[in-house]
């Protein structure tokens, strides 16, 4: 068990993701969009979102990481690229959470440069700060460092079915407990 307090419950997320899926289905009718999930954080959101989309579409994933030291330029390293040509495709980048927006700005430009017909961004969460990019679709706004529903803290908590607030101090006891058992 953990003691991560709930910020957005399983039911609230379900309802929100369902509405986003329906909105995208209306906006992209006849466009056969390609959903591009940004690994790893978006994998749960992507799976639920796609099951709420009721128009023909396809999906792929990309994995990227920021080059250390040059974050301000928004340069990212591509660790896993798309497996298909995206020329003339309508792309929807699926992200877990938008913070500075530097990663998404870079990705959007990259996919536009590859000849996509359009590139839009959906993010489940948006931090209430100034971003380099505005999402076209957004689920929730938050200020805290959150985990769960795909989002991690040092690779943990991705499997929580809800979105919770991570407080390192409060988690120390739990983490020690887990280590104790594993040791
Ligand atoms: P950006 O390029 O927008 O600054 O970076 C966004 C990325 O930072 C997200 O995809 C996510 O990996 C990470 N991130 C930002 N805020 C949070 C947060 O509150 N919780 C978690 N788990 N990751 C975050
Ligand atoms: Mg991410």
């Amino acid at each position: 068990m953990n003691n991560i307090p709930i910020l957005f419950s399983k039911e609230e997320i379900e309802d929100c993701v369902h509405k986003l899926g329906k909105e995208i289905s209306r906006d992209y009718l006849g466009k056969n969009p390609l959903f591009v999930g940004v690994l790893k954080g978006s994998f749960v959101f992507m799976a639920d979102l796609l099951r709420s989309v009721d128009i023909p579409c396809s999906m792929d994933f990309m994995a990227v990481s920021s080059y250390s030291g040059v974050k301000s330029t928004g340069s990212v390293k591509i660790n896993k690229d798309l497996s298909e040509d995206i020329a003339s495709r309508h792309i929807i980048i699926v992200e877990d959470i938008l913070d500075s927006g530097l990663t998404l700005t870079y990705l959007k430009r990259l996919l536009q440069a590859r000849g996509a017909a359009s590139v839009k961004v959906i993010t489940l969460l948006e931090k209430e700060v100034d971003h380099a990019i505005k999402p076209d679709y957004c689920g929730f706004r938050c200020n805290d460092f959150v985990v769960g529903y795909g989002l991690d803290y040092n690779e943990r908590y991705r499997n929580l079915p809800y979105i919770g607030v991570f407080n390192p101090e409060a988690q120390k006891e739990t983490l020690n407990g887990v280590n104790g058992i594993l040791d």
Side-chain angles (χ1 to χ4, degrees):
M1 281 303 285
N2 67 75
N3 55 347
I4 306 266
I6 296 177
L7 183 61
F8 300 113
S9 70
K10 191 171 175 282
E11 291 73 25
E12 282 175 296
I13 301 170
E14 259 169 31
D15 186 48
C16 173
V17 173
H18 187 73
K19 283 181 183 145
L20 288 169
K22 294 293 161 232
E23 194 181 342
I24 287 184
S25 302
R26 283 194 299 275
D27 294 352
Y28 282 83
L29 187 64
K31 290 186 170 173
N32 185 27
L34 171 66
F35 290 84
V36 174
V38 185
L39 290 172
K40 301 176 191 175
S42 72
F43 82 105
V44 180
F45 178 38
M46 179 82 148
D48 284 346
L49 180 69
L50 257 77
R51 281 177 288 181
S52 291
V53 168
D54 53 15
I55 55 166
C57 62
S58 47
M59 58 156 291
D60 204 344
F61 283 107
M62 281 183 90
V64 296
S65 54
S66 299
Y67 280 116
S68 53
V70 290
K71 205 166 184 266
S72 59
T73 66
S75 284
V76 300
K77 181 170 175 272
I78 296 175
N79 299 322
K80 186 224 168 292
D81 208 338
L82 298 174
S83 45
E84 54 186 295
D85 182 15
I86 58 159
S88 306
R89 293 295 306 271
H90 292 281
I91 310 291
I92 303 169
I93 302 176
V94 182
E95 178 65 299
D96 50 0
I97 184 162
L98 180 63
D99 192 359
S100 73
L102 292 174
T103 316
L104 275 183
T105 304
Y106 175 87
L107 264 188
K108 192 171 175 179
R109 286 204 191 117
L110 177 76
L111 301 184
Q112 278 166 340
R114 289 182 182 176
S118 67
V119 183
K120 289 201 174 180
V121 171
I122 179 166
T123 184
L124 179 63
L125 293 136
E126 180 181 17
K127 285 272 167 82
E128 290 172 323
V129 294
D130 281 338
H131 323 292
I133 190 169
K134 240 186 93 60
D136 300 283
Y137 304 90
C138 174
F140 302 107
R141 291 203 164 75
C142 71
N143 282 312
D144 305 287
F145 186 87
V146 290
V147 294
Y149 197 74
L151 289 133
D152 74 311
Y153 172 73
N154 285 347
E155 295 302 325
R156 281 200 62 194
Y157 306 111
R158 292 194 195 277
N159 56 325
L160 284 185
Y162 61 89
I163 294 166
V165 178
F166 182 78
N167 173 350
E169 285 307 309
Q171 294 315 308
K172 261 186 195 157
E173 229 171 87
T174 317
L175 293 173
N176 288 341
V178 170
N179 288 340
I181 292 164
L182 293 176
D183 289 343

